[in-house]
Amino acid sequence: EPEVTQTPSHQVTQMGQEVILRCVPISNHLYFYWYRQILGQKVEFLVSFYNNEISEKSEIFDDQFSVERPDGSNFTLKIRSTKLEDSAMYFCASSVGLNTEAFFGQGTRLTVV
Amino acid sequence: GENVGLHLPTLSVQEGDNSIINCAYSNSASDYFIWYKQESGKGPQFIIDIRSNMDKRQGQRVTVLLNKTVKHLSLQIAATQPGDSAVYFCAENRANSGYALNFGKGTSLLVTP
């Protein structure tokens, strides 16, 4: 069964450092998303990406964040200068179309120390 | 802002009983709703979705009911099994957006033998 894969599963980084979280969406999907989940809290939308550009972003997705689809398979989230409060699970998701089921990856646990 | 929330943070049921998890939403413009299951350390897993032109949809052992009049969504799980133990999130498409989902806070379902 096709699935969204994310690497690494766990990333520890020092405050102020840059991190890149990687995702391989399901191959025939056209819409890509990043969400985050702070421990014990709900899943929060960060950004959506379609046709090689950002479709929508939340207030969380500030100038420290960027996304890229560097090739036909990968979808990355970059955090330029990490802060302690960026510590969370980051989930990548993809869907075939608008308002269709979004499939989530297993997540990357980011710990900023 | 708009809110998607859950009535009960935890629900404990006996194996074999039916479970009902409830969700309230406040954005009357939402037209697409999804239930996700999240097991510890994993990403959200799609269970079932429903569009606003329907009031009921059934899957395998699960039923979603949508009451647009009172902006209420419920997930019914028949013959609950230990493997159903997880956190369940309802999600709606974000206001004025078809791209991203707004998640509720989650209900923890515990199935006891």
Side-chain angles (χ1 to χ4, degrees), chain B residues 83-112:
Chain B
D84 295 327
S85 294
V87 176
Y88 289 79
F89 293 94
C90 64
E92 61 172 347
N93 69 326
R94 284 161 57 91
N96 302 316
S97 166
Y99 294 105
L101 298 171
N102 183 27
F103 280 76
K105 294 181 182 177
T107 290
S108 178
L109 175 66
L110 178 62
V111 182
T112 57

PDB file of all heavy atoms in Angstrom, chain B residues 83-112:
ATOM      1  N   GLY B  83      -7.612  -3.057  19.584  1.00  0.00           N
ATOM      2  CA  GLY B  83      -6.831  -2.328  18.579  1.00  0.00           C
ATOM      3  C   GLY B  83      -7.406  -0.976  18.226  1.00  0.00           C
ATOM      4  O   GLY B  83      -6.755  -0.184  17.538  1.00  0.00           O
ATOM      5  N   ASP B  84      -8.609  -0.694  18.682  1.00  0.00           N
ATOM      6  CA  ASP B  84      -9.218   0.617  18.446  1.00  0.00           C
ATOM      7  C   ASP B  84      -8.731   1.656  19.446  1.00  0.00           C
ATOM      8  O   ASP B  84      -9.001   2.852  19.284  1.00  0.00           O
ATOM      9  CB  ASP B  84     -10.744   0.520  18.521  1.00  0.00           C
ATOM     10  CG  ASP B  84     -11.339  -0.333  17.416  1.00  0.00           C
ATOM     11  OD1 ASP B  84     -10.770  -0.342  16.306  1.00  0.00           O
ATOM     12  OD2 ASP B  84     -12.370  -0.993  17.666  1.00  0.00           O
ATOM     13  N   SER B  85      -8.052   1.221  20.482  1.00  0.00           N
ATOM     14  CA  SER B  85      -7.528   2.162  21.480  1.00  0.00           C
ATOM     15  C   SER B  85      -6.549   3.122  20.816  1.00  0.00           C
ATOM     16  O   SER B  85      -5.559   2.705  20.212  1.00  0.00           O
ATOM     17  CB  SER B  85      -6.823   1.403  22.611  1.00  0.00           C
ATOM     18  OG  SER B  85      -7.737   0.628  23.355  1.00  0.00           O
ATOM     19  N   ALA B  86      -6.845   4.404  20.916  1.00  0.00           N
ATOM     20  CA  ALA B  86      -6.034   5.433  20.242  1.00  0.00           C
ATOM     21  C   ALA B  86      -6.646   6.789  20.573  1.00  0.00           C
ATOM     22  O   ALA B  86      -7.659   6.879  21.259  1.00  0.00           O
ATOM     23  CB  ALA B  86      -6.014   5.222  18.732  1.00  0.00           C
ATOM     24  N   VAL B  87      -6.049   7.828  20.048  1.00  0.00           N
ATOM     25  CA  VAL B  87      -6.650   9.160  20.105  1.00  0.00           C
ATOM     26  C   VAL B  87      -7.341   9.416  18.781  1.00  0.00           C
ATOM     27  O   VAL B  87      -6.778   9.145  17.711  1.00  0.00           O
ATOM     28  CB  VAL B  87      -5.597  10.249  20.376  1.00  0.00           C
ATOM     29  CG1 VAL B  87      -6.240  11.642  20.342  1.00  0.00           C
ATOM     30  CG2 VAL B  87      -4.928  10.013  21.726  1.00  0.00           C
ATOM     31  N   TYR B  88      -8.549   9.897  18.848  1.00  0.00           N
ATOM     32  CA  TYR B  88      -9.339  10.155  17.659  1.00  0.00           C
ATOM     33  C   TYR B  88      -9.529  11.664  17.493  1.00  0.00           C
ATOM     34  O   TYR B  88      -9.920  12.363  18.436  1.00  0.00           O
ATOM     35  CB  TYR B  88     -10.694   9.452  17.749  1.00  0.00           C
ATOM     36  CG  TYR B  88     -10.556   7.961  17.622  1.00  0.00           C
ATOM     37  CD1 TYR B  88     -10.143   7.185  18.699  1.00  0.00           C
ATOM     38  CD2 TYR B  88     -10.778   7.328  16.403  1.00  0.00           C
ATOM     39  CE1 TYR B  88      -9.967   5.819  18.578  1.00  0.00           C
ATOM     40  CE2 TYR B  88     -10.612   5.953  16.276  1.00  0.00           C
ATOM     41  CZ  TYR B  88     -10.201   5.210  17.363  1.00  0.00           C
ATOM     42  OH  TYR B  88     -10.021   3.856  17.229  1.00  0.00           O
ATOM     43  N   PHE B  89      -9.222  12.147  16.305  1.00  0.00           N
ATOM     44  CA  PHE B  89      -9.365  13.565  15.984  1.00  0.00           C
ATOM     45  C   PHE B  89     -10.414  13.736  14.899  1.00  0.00           C
ATOM     46  O   PHE B  89     -10.413  13.001  13.908  1.00  0.00           O
ATOM     47  CB  PHE B  89      -8.057  14.133  15.438  1.00  0.00           C
ATOM     48  CG  PHE B  89      -6.930  14.197  16.418  1.00  0.00           C
ATOM     49  CD1 PHE B  89      -6.009  13.167  16.507  1.00  0.00           C
ATOM     50  CD2 PHE B  89      -6.774  15.304  17.237  1.00  0.00           C
ATOM     51  CE1 PHE B  89      -4.951  13.240  17.399  1.00  0.00           C
ATOM     52  CE2 PHE B  89      -5.717  15.373  18.137  1.00  0.00           C
ATOM     53  CZ  PHE B  89      -4.815  14.335  18.209  1.00  0.00           C
ATOM     54  N   CYS B  90     -11.269  14.734  15.076  1.00  0.00           N
ATOM     55  CA  CYS B  90     -12.066  15.175  13.952  1.00  0.00           C
ATOM     56  C   CYS B  90     -11.335  16.357  13.314  1.00  0.00           C
ATOM     57  O   CYS B  90     -10.562  17.063  13.982  1.00  0.00           O
ATOM     58  CB  CYS B  90     -13.483  15.565  14.378  1.00  0.00           C
ATOM     59  SG  CYS B  90     -13.580  16.977  15.486  1.00  0.00           S
ATOM     60  N   ALA B  91     -11.552  16.556  12.048  1.00  0.00           N
ATOM     61  CA  ALA B  91     -10.920  17.664  11.351  1.00  0.00           C
ATOM     62  C   ALA B  91     -11.890  18.199  10.304  1.00  0.00           C
ATOM     63  O   ALA B  91     -12.711  17.446   9.765  1.00  0.00           O
ATOM     64  CB  ALA B  91      -9.615  17.219  10.692  1.00  0.00           C
ATOM     65  N   GLU B  92     -11.812  19.488  10.054  1.00  0.00           N
ATOM     66  CA  GLU B  92     -12.656  20.117   9.040  1.00  0.00           C
ATOM     67  C   GLU B  92     -11.765  20.873   8.078  1.00  0.00           C
ATOM     68  O   GLU B  92     -10.637  21.261   8.422  1.00  0.00           O
ATOM     69  CB  GLU B  92     -13.632  21.090   9.706  1.00  0.00           C
ATOM     70  CG  GLU B  92     -12.933  22.212  10.449  1.00  0.00           C
ATOM     71  CD  GLU B  92     -13.852  23.305  10.961  1.00  0.00           C
ATOM     72  OE1 GLU B  92     -15.023  23.348  10.557  1.00  0.00           O
ATOM     73  OE2 GLU B  92     -13.377  24.122  11.755  1.00  0.00           O
ATOM     74  N   ASN B  93     -12.281  21.060   6.875  1.00  0.00           N
ATOM     75  CA  ASN B  93     -11.500  21.919   5.993  1.00  0.00           C
ATOM     76  C   ASN B  93     -11.572  23.329   6.534  1.00  0.00           C
ATOM     77  O   ASN B  93     -12.601  23.761   7.046  1.00  0.00           O
ATOM     78  CB  ASN B  93     -11.993  21.821   4.545  1.00  0.00           C
ATOM     79  CG  ASN B  93     -13.354  22.430   4.336  1.00  0.00           C
ATOM     80  OD1 ASN B  93     -14.209  22.394   5.203  1.00  0.00           O
ATOM     81  ND2 ASN B  93     -13.559  23.002   3.173  1.00  0.00           N
ATOM     82  N   ARG B  94     -10.442  24.018   6.429  1.00  0.00           N
ATOM     83  CA  ARG B  94     -10.347  25.325   7.063  1.00  0.00           C
ATOM     84  C   ARG B  94     -11.271  26.330   6.386  1.00  0.00           C
ATOM     85  O   ARG B  94     -11.564  26.227   5.212  1.00  0.00           O
ATOM     86  CB  ARG B  94      -8.909  25.826   6.993  1.00  0.00           C
ATOM     87  CG  ARG B  94      -7.991  25.155   7.995  1.00  0.00           C
ATOM     88  CD  ARG B  94      -6.551  25.335   7.576  1.00  0.00           C
ATOM     89  NE  ARG B  94      -6.178  26.723   7.423  1.00  0.00           N
ATOM     90  CZ  ARG B  94      -5.664  27.463   8.394  1.00  0.00           C
ATOM     91  NH1 ARG B  94      -5.501  26.953   9.597  1.00  0.00           N
ATOM     92  NH2 ARG B  94      -5.318  28.710   8.188  1.00  0.00           N
ATOM     93  N   ALA B  95     -11.676  27.281   7.170  1.00  0.00           N
ATOM     94  CA  ALA B  95     -12.567  28.321   6.669  1.00  0.00           C
ATOM     95  C   ALA B  95     -11.962  28.974   5.436  1.00  0.00           C
ATOM     96  O   ALA B  95     -10.793  29.333   5.415  1.00  0.00           O
ATOM     97  CB  ALA B  95     -12.785  29.367   7.763  1.00  0.00           C
ATOM     98  N   ASN B  96     -12.734  29.093   4.400  1.00  0.00           N
ATOM     99  CA  ASN B  96     -12.323  29.737   3.159  1.00  0.00           C
ATOM    100  C   ASN B  96     -11.124  29.063   2.512  1.00  0.00           C
ATOM    101  O   ASN B  96     -10.373  29.702   1.801  1.00  0.00           O
ATOM    102  CB  ASN B  96     -11.993  31.220   3.408  1.00  0.00           C
ATOM    103  CG  ASN B  96     -13.169  31.972   3.990  1.00  0.00           C
ATOM    104  OD1 ASN B  96     -14.297  31.802   3.537  1.00  0.00           O
ATOM    105  ND2 ASN B  96     -12.913  32.759   5.004  1.00  0.00           N
ATOM    106  N   SER B  97     -10.947  27.809   2.798  1.00  0.00           N
ATOM    107  CA  SER B  97      -9.797  27.108   2.222  1.00  0.00           C
ATOM    108  C   SER B  97     -10.170  25.682   1.897  1.00  0.00           C
ATOM    109  O   SER B  97     -10.850  25.028   2.666  1.00  0.00           O
ATOM    110  CB  SER B  97      -8.628  27.121   3.202  1.00  0.00           C
ATOM    111  OG  SER B  97      -7.648  26.186   2.794  1.00  0.00           O
ATOM    112  N   GLY B  98      -9.731  25.201   0.773  1.00  0.00           N
ATOM    113  CA  GLY B  98      -9.929  23.781   0.491  1.00  0.00           C
ATOM    114  C   GLY B  98      -8.664  23.004   0.675  1.00  0.00           C
ATOM    115  O   GLY B  98      -8.631  21.813   0.455  1.00  0.00           O
ATOM    116  N   TYR B  99      -7.602  23.678   1.110  1.00  0.00           N
ATOM    117  CA  TYR B  99      -6.301  23.030   1.088  1.00  0.00           C
ATOM    118  C   TYR B  99      -5.936  22.338   2.384  1.00  0.00           C
ATOM    119  O   TYR B  99      -5.193  21.379   2.373  1.00  0.00           O
ATOM    120  CB  TYR B  99      -5.212  24.063   0.775  1.00  0.00           C
ATOM    121  CG  TYR B  99      -5.307  24.630  -0.613  1.00  0.00           C
ATOM    122  CD1 TYR B  99      -5.792  25.907  -0.824  1.00  0.00           C
ATOM    123  CD2 TYR B  99      -4.918  23.879  -1.702  1.00  0.00           C
ATOM    124  CE1 TYR B  99      -5.881  26.425  -2.096  1.00  0.00           C
ATOM    125  CE2 TYR B  99      -4.995  24.393  -2.983  1.00  0.00           C
ATOM    126  CZ  TYR B  99      -5.476  25.668  -3.179  1.00  0.00           C
ATOM    127  OH  TYR B  99      -5.561  26.174  -4.440  1.00  0.00           O
ATOM    128  N   ALA B 100      -6.378  22.837   3.489  1.00  0.00           N
ATOM    129  CA  ALA B 100      -5.823  22.364   4.754  1.00  0.00           C
ATOM    130  C   ALA B 100      -6.923  22.033   5.737  1.00  0.00           C
ATOM    131  O   ALA B 100      -8.069  22.441   5.590  1.00  0.00           O
ATOM    132  CB  ALA B 100      -4.905  23.422   5.338  1.00  0.00           C
ATOM    133  N   LEU B 101      -6.564  21.274   6.718  1.00  0.00           N
ATOM    134  CA  LEU B 101      -7.491  20.801   7.723  1.00  0.00           C
ATOM    135  C   LEU B 101      -7.267  21.496   9.053  1.00  0.00           C
ATOM    136  O   LEU B 101      -6.139  21.746   9.447  1.00  0.00           O
ATOM    137  CB  LEU B 101      -7.345  19.301   7.905  1.00  0.00           C
ATOM    138  CG  LEU B 101      -7.642  18.441   6.684  1.00  0.00           C
ATOM    139  CD1 LEU B 101      -7.253  17.001   6.940  1.00  0.00           C
ATOM    140  CD2 LEU B 101      -9.121  18.531   6.323  1.00  0.00           C
ATOM    141  N   ASN B 102      -8.378  21.749   9.750  1.00  0.00           N
ATOM    142  CA  ASN B 102      -8.339  22.267  11.101  1.00  0.00           C
ATOM    143  C   ASN B 102      -8.717  21.124  12.039  1.00  0.00           C
ATOM    144  O   ASN B 102      -9.839  20.618  11.971  1.00  0.00           O
ATOM    145  CB  ASN B 102      -9.318  23.430  11.233  1.00  0.00           C
ATOM    146  CG  ASN B 102      -9.282  24.067  12.601  1.00  0.00           C
ATOM    147  OD1 ASN B 102      -8.262  24.027  13.287  1.00  0.00           O
ATOM    148  ND2 ASN B 102     -10.383  24.659  13.006  1.00  0.00           N
ATOM    149  N   PHE B 103      -7.792  20.716  12.880  1.00  0.00           N
ATOM    150  CA  PHE B 103      -8.014  19.561  13.750  1.00  0.00           C
ATOM    151  C   PHE B 103      -8.603  19.974  15.089  1.00  0.00           C
ATOM    152  O   PHE B 103      -8.284  21.026  15.628  1.00  0.00           O
ATOM    153  CB  PHE B 103      -6.691  18.841  14.014  1.00  0.00           C
ATOM    154  CG  PHE B 103      -6.247  17.931  12.903  1.00  0.00           C
ATOM    155  CD1 PHE B 103      -5.692  18.437  11.744  1.00  0.00           C
ATOM    156  CD2 PHE B 103      -6.389  16.559  13.031  1.00  0.00           C
ATOM    157  CE1 PHE B 103      -5.281  17.595  10.728  1.00  0.00           C
ATOM    158  CE2 PHE B 103      -5.978  15.704  12.024  1.00  0.00           C
ATOM    159  CZ  PHE B 103      -5.414  16.221  10.871  1.00  0.00           C
ATOM    160  N   GLY B 104      -9.410  19.081  15.640  1.00  0.00           N
ATOM    161  CA  GLY B 104      -9.868  19.216  17.005  1.00  0.00           C
ATOM    162  C   GLY B 104      -8.810  18.722  17.972  1.00  0.00           C
ATOM    163  O   GLY B 104      -7.736  18.275  17.578  1.00  0.00           O
ATOM    164  N   LYS B 105      -9.138  18.778  19.257  1.00  0.00           N
ATOM    165  CA  LYS B 105      -8.143  18.466  20.280  1.00  0.00           C
ATOM    166  C   LYS B 105      -7.939  16.983  20.506  1.00  0.00           C
ATOM    167  O   LYS B 105      -6.953  16.580  21.087  1.00  0.00           O
ATOM    168  CB  LYS B 105      -8.535  19.135  21.601  1.00  0.00           C
ATOM    169  CG  LYS B 105      -8.483  20.651  21.545  1.00  0.00           C
ATOM    170  CD  LYS B 105      -8.851  21.276  22.872  1.00  0.00           C
ATOM    171  CE  LYS B 105      -8.839  22.794  22.778  1.00  0.00           C
ATOM    172  NZ  LYS B 105      -9.271  23.419  24.052  1.00  0.00           N
ATOM    173  N   GLY B 106      -8.829  16.154  20.100  1.00  0.00           N
ATOM    174  CA  GLY B 106      -8.630  14.717  20.251  1.00  0.00           C
ATOM    175  C   GLY B 106      -9.367  14.116  21.429  1.00  0.00           C
ATOM    176  O   GLY B 106      -9.495  14.736  22.485  1.00  0.00           O
ATOM    177  N   THR B 107      -9.868  12.915  21.247  1.00  0.00           N
ATOM    178  CA  THR B 107     -10.456  12.106  22.321  1.00  0.00           C
ATOM    179  C   THR B 107      -9.672  10.825  22.418  1.00  0.00           C
ATOM    180  O   THR B 107      -9.452  10.151  21.406  1.00  0.00           O
ATOM    181  CB  THR B 107     -11.928  11.770  22.043  1.00  0.00           C
ATOM    182  OG1 THR B 107     -12.708  12.942  22.152  1.00  0.00           O
ATOM    183  CG2 THR B 107     -12.451  10.740  23.036  1.00  0.00           C
ATOM    184  N   SER B 108      -9.255  10.504  23.624  1.00  0.00           N
ATOM    185  CA  SER B 108      -8.521   9.258  23.839  1.00  0.00           C
ATOM    186  C   SER B 108      -9.511   8.143  24.120  1.00  0.00           C
ATOM    187  O   SER B 108     -10.298   8.212  25.066  1.00  0.00           O
ATOM    188  CB  SER B 108      -7.572   9.419  25.034  1.00  0.00           C
ATOM    189  OG  SER B 108      -6.897   8.204  25.289  1.00  0.00           O
ATOM    190  N   LEU B 109      -9.511   7.132  23.290  1.00  0.00           N
ATOM    191  CA  LEU B 109     -10.402   5.978  23.461  1.00  0.00           C
ATOM    192  C   LEU B 109      -9.603   4.829  24.059  1.00  0.00           C
ATOM    193  O   LEU B 109      -8.575   4.421  23.509  1.00  0.00           O
ATOM    194  CB  LEU B 109     -11.002   5.558  22.123  1.00  0.00           C
ATOM    195  CG  LEU B 109     -11.862   4.297  22.134  1.00  0.00           C
ATOM    196  CD1 LEU B 109     -13.126   4.524  22.962  1.00  0.00           C
ATOM    197  CD2 LEU B 109     -12.225   3.854  20.721  1.00  0.00           C
ATOM    198  N   LEU B 110     -10.065   4.317  25.173  1.00  0.00           N
ATOM    199  CA  LEU B 110      -9.425   3.177  25.827  1.00  0.00           C
ATOM    200  C   LEU B 110     -10.405   2.020  25.847  1.00  0.00           C
ATOM    201  O   LEU B 110     -11.512   2.129  26.371  1.00  0.00           O
ATOM    202  CB  LEU B 110      -9.030   3.535  27.253  1.00  0.00           C
ATOM    203  CG  LEU B 110      -8.395   2.402  28.071  1.00  0.00           C
ATOM    204  CD1 LEU B 110      -7.088   1.936  27.435  1.00  0.00           C
ATOM    205  CD2 LEU B 110      -8.169   2.836  29.510  1.00  0.00           C
ATOM    206  N   VAL B 111     -10.003   0.919  25.248  1.00  0.00           N
ATOM    207  CA  VAL B 111     -10.860  -0.263  25.189  1.00  0.00           C
ATOM    208  C   VAL B 111     -10.349  -1.270  26.206  1.00  0.00           C
ATOM    209  O   VAL B 111      -9.202  -1.705  26.143  1.00  0.00           O
ATOM    210  CB  VAL B 111     -10.854  -0.877  23.775  1.00  0.00           C
ATOM    211  CG1 VAL B 111     -11.798  -2.083  23.725  1.00  0.00           C
ATOM    212  CG2 VAL B 111     -11.250   0.163  22.749  1.00  0.00           C
ATOM    213  N   THR B 112     -11.202  -1.618  27.145  1.00  0.00           N
ATOM    214  CA  THR B 112     -10.813  -2.558  28.195  1.00  0.00           C
ATOM    215  C   THR B 112     -11.410  -3.931  27.920  1.00  0.00           C
ATOM    216  O   THR B 112     -12.514  -4.043  27.404  1.00  0.00           O
ATOM    217  CB  THR B 112     -11.284  -2.046  29.555  1.00  0.00           C
ATOM    218  OG1 THR B 112     -12.712  -1.839  29.518  1.00  0.00           O
ATOM    219  CG2 THR B 112     -10.607  -0.734  29.895  1.00  0.00           C
TER     220      THR B 112
END
